[in-house]
Amino acid sequence: MAATERDHAPGWYAILPPPAPAQRLTGDQVADWVVVGGGVTGLAAARRLGELLPDKRIVLIDEFRIGYGSSGRNAGFIIDTPHLTEQFDGDTNRRISRLVLAGLAELEAQVNEHEIECEWTPHGHLTAVVDKSRVGGLHATSRMLDDLGETWEWLEGDALADIIGTHHYHAAVFTPRTVTVNPAAMCRGLGQSLPENVDIFEDTCVRAIASGNPRSVICDDGRVSAPGILLTTNAFITRLGLLKSHVFPMIACASLSRPLNEEEDAALGGHRDWGITGTATMRRTPSNRILARFGTFYAGDFRLGRQRRRSLLRAHRKGVADRFPMLRHLDFEHTWAGVFCMTRDWSTHFGRLEPGLFVSLGYCGVGLARGTISGKLVAEHALGGESSLIDDAVALSGPARLPARPFLALGVEARLASYRWQSRREW
């Protein structure tokens, strides 16, 4: 049975034309390398393996259709600067900066070379606050950008409202290189342009990684054996019995509107596309839709109940109406949740787990650029390659051990409750 259900698709995927029928993995097969996980990290890893090993068979497996899973469920920001500045020192931020810039360049090269239609918009983004008391966080961001030698601009008042069509926000830091995209369309295009020696199997759930020489990837209707396996499975790696003490799943929720009509478009004004990150994420897309993302939850079972989904849609509608009263009657066509992989100290997991078994994951919800370059780098690393970027990825790897599960859930929920209270005026 296919795992991909269009009724539960992220809005980015749902507005695309249906793809061609999926090829599912069946029977006993053999490959030289298997990549498990078809998000941006797995796509980049499979591409690089295919390029470096043109005479070898590379297999890429995903539980869903390409673009349907976590990489197609984010807000579509390819951010080129470090995040969580208060967590890291200058050297760490410089390593992150080198990686995200390389990831953005890699994605841009692939989108241009293969003419991928994905609403690629290189117009930057705004890190914004509503509550004046939280402006200190913006000053910390600007100091970090100065330390990295980055270009940025402080916006408030009419200068900010002229871009987004509202005076609801107090201030914002604008960084010009961020790109926004339809992430599902981008992933689909990346999958369609992989080297010919890469075979993609979709709607194929991996149940286990069997030990042996070679190892086998066990799926519902078949298996594939290979001497080398790369796991780019996001937090779903814990379902395979791996890294349970180092990573855990979080869920973020978003809604995407219908296109604005002529009256709404004229009333809103401002620029035709922009993106805001902060406690709540907002976008106006090139297709003239509004994206609202608000609501992050710990999800040990990877699920989001219907009742919570309905309450989040109500929150998204209210948040948009509060910010943009002229859009108070705007209908939202799609509401969805996406899983991202968290670690205790924001570190990633990159490199070899065991002989012949490599991982790249744990990008804590900011993975389009960093996950892309890390997928490429883990493929090179697995083949014995060396580079300064691989050194950066290795240096940033190694998350702290998590507390036992009952205490983990309690700790995460307490941290989220505190954050929601402190940022309650932001939504």
Side-chain angles (χ1 to χ4, degrees), residues 209-222:
I209 308 296
S211 59
N213 189 17
R215 297 175 186 270
S216 293
V217 178
I218 311 300
C219 306
D220 283 338
D221 297 312

Side-chain angles (χ1 to χ4, degrees), residues 9-33:
W12 304 120
Y13 186 96
I15 64 178
L16 299 177
Q23 176 182 215
R24 303 180 66 219
L25 191 143
T26 59
D28 290 342
Q29 302 199 27
V30 176
D32 296 285
W33 283 88

Side-chain angles (χ1 to χ4, degrees), residues 38 48 57 75 136 156-157 174 176 191 227 233 241 252 303 317 346 380 394:
R48 193 60 177 149
R57 186 189 186 210
E156 58 182 61
F174 173 73
T233 50
R303 296 179 181 276
R317 285 173 170 160
W346 310 96
E380 295 174 355
V394 170

Side-chain angles (χ1 to χ4, degrees), residues 8-303:
H8 297 283
W12 304 120
Y13 186 96
I15 64 178
L16 299 177
Q23 176 182 215
R24 303 180 66 219
L25 191 143
T26 59
D28 290 342
Q29 302 199 27
V30 176
D32 296 285
W33 283 88
V34 178
V35 179
V36 181
V40 291
T41 308
L43 288 164
R47 182 182 301 278
R48 193 60 177 149
L49 288 172
E51 293 170 344
L52 295 174
L53 303 171
D55 298 326
K56 304 295 185 180
R57 186 189 186 210
I58 315 301
V59 165
L60 174 63
I61 302 174
D62 196 85
E63 181 176 0
F64 304 105
R65 303 305 303 271
I66 300 298
Y68 182 94
S70 294
S71 287
R73 292 173 178 267
N74 59 62
F77 289 82
I78 309 176
I79 297 177
D80 65 319
T81 55
H83 285 247
L84 303 163
T85 55
E86 72 280 5
Q87 300 288 334
F88 303 131
D89 58 24
D91 182 62
T92 298
N93 277 326
R94 281 185 282 275
R95 289 186 185 276
I96 295 171
S97 181
R98 289 191 289 268
L99 289 168
V100 295
L101 284 172
L104 174 57
E106 176 70 17
L107 285 170
E108 184 173 20
Q110 298 301 333
V111 167
N112 288 337
E113 178 181 353
H114 302 291
E115 299 181 342
I116 298 171
E117 296 292 334
C118 59
E119 295 188 346
W120 182 276
T121 310
H123 290 174
H125 94 287
L126 300 153
T127 302
V129 297
V130 174
D131 185 359
K132 184 178 180 179
S133 69
R134 295 179 67 83
V135 77
L138 292 184
H139 288 304
T141 296
S142 61
R143 287 193 296 269
M144 179 273 294
L145 293 170
D146 282 338
D147 185 52
L148 295 172
E150 293 284 350
T151 299
W152 59 276
E153 182 180 359
W154 185 274
L155 294 171
E156 58 182 61
D158 290 343
L160 179 56
D162 286 346
I163 296 174
I164 59 178
T166 180
H167 284 86
H168 186 82
Y169 290 89
H170 175 73
V173 169
F174 173 73
T175 46
R177 281 199 309 249
T178 294
V179 172
T180 54
V181 295
N182 175 327
M186 184 181 71
C187 288
R188 182 180 290 183
L190 292 170
Q192 291 170 342
S193 61
L194 290 175
E196 290 184 0
N197 60 324
V198 179
D199 290 330
I200 301 179
F201 295 102
E202 300 171 274
D203 277 337
T204 298
C205 184
V206 172
R207 298 299 182 182
I209 308 296
S211 59
N213 189 17
R215 297 175 186 270
S216 293
V217 178
I218 311 300
C219 306
D220 283 338
D221 297 312
R223 68 172 63 202
V224 56
S225 300
I229 298 172
L230 301 184
L231 300 178
T232 57
T233 50
N234 197 328
F236 294 96
I237 194 169
T238 58
R239 287 183 170 178
L240 300 175
L242 300 169
L243 299 184
K244 286 186 174 182
S245 298
H246 293 88
V247 303
F248 61 96
M250 295 285 288
I251 287 181
C253 307
S255 294
L256 187 66
S257 78
R258 59 161 169 77
L260 304 186
N261 60 37
E262 290 185 7
E263 181 180 350
E264 292 163 339
D265 182 74
L268 177 57
H271 291 191
R272 292 303 300 267
D273 54 78
W274 43 257
I276 299 170
T277 60
T279 300
T281 297
M282 305 288 295
R283 277 187 60 190
R284 185 179 183 180
T285 74
S287 56
N288 218 13
R289 299 170 184 265
I290 299 295
L291 172 105
R293 187 179 72 177
F294 173 75
T296 302
F297 305 94
Y298 172 67
D301 61 356
F302 297 87
R303 296 179 181 276

